[in-house]
Amino acid sequence: MNDLMKTNQGDSARLFDERVLVLDFGSQYAQLIARRVREQNVYCEIVRHDIAPERLLAHQPRGIILSGGPSSVYEPGAPRCHPEILRLGIPVLGICYGMQLACELLGGQVESAPSREYGRARCFVDRPEGLLAGFTEQTDVWMSHGDQVTRVSEDFVSLARTETCPIAAVRHRTLPVYGLQFHPEVTHTPQGSMLLHNFVTMVCRCEGKWHLGDFARETIDRMRQQIGNSRVICGLSGGVDSAVTAALLYKAVGSQLSCILVNNGLLRKAEQEAVIAEFTRHFRTDLHVVDGEERFLTALAGVTDPQEKRRRIGHAFIDCFKQEASNIEDARFLAQGTLYPDVIESGAAPDGPAATIKLHHNVGGLPAELGFELIEPLRDLFKDEVRRMGLELGLPGEIVWRHPFPGPGLAVRCLGEVTRQRLNVLREADAIVVEEIKVAGLYRSTSQAFAVLLPVQSVGVMGDARTYENTVAVRCVDTDDFMTADWSRLPESLLARISTRIINEVKGVNRVCYDISSKPPATIEWE
Ligand code: XMP
């Protein structure tokens, strides 16, 4: 861990030397592609599909990946990249729509496939070399397409096929341009990471210099220089992002860091205690805990509309934070744990894919008029990278592996009115869900697990008495990126234990349901 305190400026300058760009054509997998490339220790960013060649060159990419997308290349108005991008001499890998576009731009033909292909397919590898080096003759691949390349120009060599897709992988004879009809980035393509490894090492000639440890060192150095002798404030939420942000800052400027934890009365069970323990005992920061429970609950009284809850919580948070920050002298900087997906989805990245703009919950949490200069040390990272960095920084697994938790906290899981009494019921039920999933050894493999208190009473019988009490829904999902998610297939015995314990131990609950909706069309949270 102390390694991260040592500076290594020579190395840090070349960290971003090797960079691959993903041109986003609206694929749900664009972020996954970027993550998979980073797993090869090559830095990867997502940019607009129509990025101008000169802007693209300014990034000095070693390779370009054209993502998939929902459109058909032959439709009017379908998204296209600048055709010169294929002729810059920089290696290009087109995936699904990206392959269809590259092949079409280079003289091929794309048509609607005779039968749409979704899911696993057997792929026959004719040329296990270059991009497909090390591939077995037959391998499973993940397909998700309605169109396919039906004819390539003479300049292309076909590398692989499936039963329904005669051109499943191609290579251009003279340009470093490759195409795949299948998705190497998903785990259902077992040899997918080998393929991406081949692409970045053999085709793009990257050495794989991107290491989180180096990145952390570089970030610490940079922040130390930027902050100088000033004071920096960091809001802690109990989540991993703010904890890692604070830990990095602590390494950079130690006692010049002041942390603020606003207890909004909407935290999970024992959350406040865990944060206080970590940031006073381990990191010994100047920690300010604001007891805002009364203020938040007053603001929420009588409110049932989810967006109104969020609005009021947002305002109360800013008020509490502002008041506490004004007591901290000489504070010039404010640190936030904004992640790369937040930056991308909010459209804040300079060349980010504006077409998929979505105003994310975590961006812009605190208004500019607070007058601080913003520090966002995690804005280049994905969640799993932040977790790995947290472990390298010495944060305990308890914080690092904690499931994400929405800023408005239990308020958006307490459907209907938020009262202290209802929150207590929810908090206890939630703690049982999490505890049982941990005991079953499934906490790390599930992405988010929690309880939701419904504004529904139902009839039950306990002992000999009729009850008319609350219903708790248990929500547990698996997801890669939180944009899409599936409900977790928890073992029946675990579900039974959770249900029995909640009904027996949490006063006021007589019924437990398990949420079996995927996202979309449902969302992960209920509000
Ligand atoms: P949904 O419910 O949109 O959630 O499928 C996707 C992810 O975002 C989290 N989430 C929020 N996070 N403020 C936040 O900071 C919010 O208002 C909010 N709403 C949802 C959710 O927990 C999940 O991880």
Side-chain angles (χ1 to χ4, degrees), residues 114-408:
S115 62
R116 290 164 170 264
E117 206 174 12
Y118 290 99
R120 212 178 295 277
R122 193 105 267 255
C123 180
F124 303 92
V125 178
D126 299 318
R127 291 170 189 258
E129 60 198 30
L131 193 64
L132 301 183
F135 267 61
T136 45
E137 253 175 60
Q138 292 187 28
T139 183
D140 280 346
V141 294
W142 188 258
M143 292 285 201
S144 172
H145 66 114
D147 295 338
Q148 64 188 32
V149 176
T150 49
R151 186 179 54 75
V152 281
S153 74
E154 304 251 299
D155 295 328
F156 278 97
V157 185
S158 170
L159 306 174
R161 66 208 139 79
T162 70
E163 262 171 23
T164 52
C165 177
I167 309 175
V170 287
R171 163 173 74 73
H172 196 275
R173 288 182 202 278
T174 52
L175 298 169
V177 174
Y178 296 78
L180 300 173
Q181 185 53 70
F182 56 88
H183 289 270
E185 69 276 20
V186 302
T187 45
H188 307 291
T189 300
Q191 296 187 301
S193 26
M194 181 162 72
L195 189 151
L196 290 173
H197 176 79
N198 290 343
F199 179 66
V200 297
T201 57
M202 293 195 215
V203 181
C204 304
R205 304 265 168 222
C206 294
E207 286 172 37
K209 297 174 180 172
W210 161 261
H211 292 287
L212 272 176
D214 293 338
F215 178 75
R217 261 191 292 276
E218 189 220 15
T219 305
I220 291 168
D221 282 346
R222 198 164 16 90
M223 290 197 301
R224 192 177 287 138
Q225 281 174 20
Q226 186 183 1
I227 296 166
N229 296 322
S230 307
R231 179 156 287 281
V232 54
I233 296 180
C234 179
L236 293 176
S237 67
V240 60
D241 307 341
S242 62
V244 172
T245 302
L248 280 169
L249 282 161
Y250 181 76
K251 303 272 183 200
V253 295
S255 59
Q256 289 159 246
L257 169 67
S258 294
C259 291
I260 298 180
L261 171 65
V262 176
N263 181 357
N264 53 13
L266 307 166
L267 300 177
R268 286 168 284 194
K269 192 172 177 181
E271 193 146 39
Q272 168 163 316
E273 293 74 9
V275 174
I276 293 177
E278 187 55 22
F279 284 90
T280 52
R281 279 189 230 135
H282 189 158
F283 286 108
R284 295 182 191 284
T285 51
D286 170 37
L287 176 62
H288 300 239
V289 180
V290 183
D291 181 5
E293 186 177 20
E294 200 57 53
R295 186 175 197 150
F296 281 80
L297 293 189
T298 306
L300 287 169
V303 179
T304 56
D305 176 64
Q307 290 312 80
E308 184 61 18
K309 284 183 186 174
R310 281 191 170 79
R311 215 178 52 78
R312 295 197 185 199
I313 291 167
H315 286 155
F317 179 76
I318 290 165
D319 289 347
C320 287
F321 196 90
K322 210 154 116 183
Q323 195 177 341
E324 193 59 36
S326 67
N327 297 331
I328 300 173
E329 275 179 29
D330 302 329
R332 184 171 150 208
F333 296 96
L334 175 70
Q336 284 189 339
T338 314
L339 303 190
Y340 187 57
D342 306 337
V343 175
I344 285 290
E345 285 159 21
S346 66
D351 288 312
T356 55
I357 282 183
K358 160 176 170 235
L359 200 58
H360 197 277
H361 335 280
N362 294 331
V363 171
L366 287 163
E369 68 260 20
L370 286 185
F372 294 111
E373 288 174 47
L374 210 55
I375 294 190
E376 296 177 313
L378 309 181
R379 59 182 284 130
D380 291 319
L381 300 183
F382 288 105
K383 189 95 177 176
D384 54 329
E385 294 170 327
V386 170
R387 287 196 160 124
R388 269 171 34 223
M389 192 186 272
L391 290 175
E392 290 198 42
L393 289 164
L395 283 170
E398 175 64 20
I399 289 186
V400 169
W401 295 111
R402 189 163 277 204
H403 287 172
F405 189 56

Side-chain angles (χ1 to χ4, degrees), residues 419-496:
T419 63
R420 187 176 275 113
Q421 187 264 335
R422 297 191 74 222
L423 285 169
N424 284 339
V425 170
L426 174 57
R427 202 173 273 121
E428 292 305 319
D430 185 69
I432 291 173
V433 173
V434 172
E435 188 186 321
E436 285 298 333
I437 287 179
K438 281 185 178 164
V439 169
L442 295 174
Y443 189 73
R444 289 262 303 267
S445 59
T446 51
S447 308
Q448 227 171 337
F450 54 89
V452 182
L453 182 64
L454 307 187
V456 172
Q457 272 82 47
S458 72
V459 174
V461 52
M462 268 177 159
D464 288 330
R466 175 187 187 276
T467 58
Y468 188 59
E469 288 182 327
N470 294 297
T471 307
V472 161
V474 174
R475 180 75 162 140
C476 185
V477 295
D478 302 327
T479 171
D480 269 322
D481 56 9
F482 297 89
M483 307 288 282
T484 60
D486 200 3
W487 56 279
S488 309
R489 273 42 173 191
L490 295 182
E492 275 175 32
S493 55
L494 171 59
L495 288 171

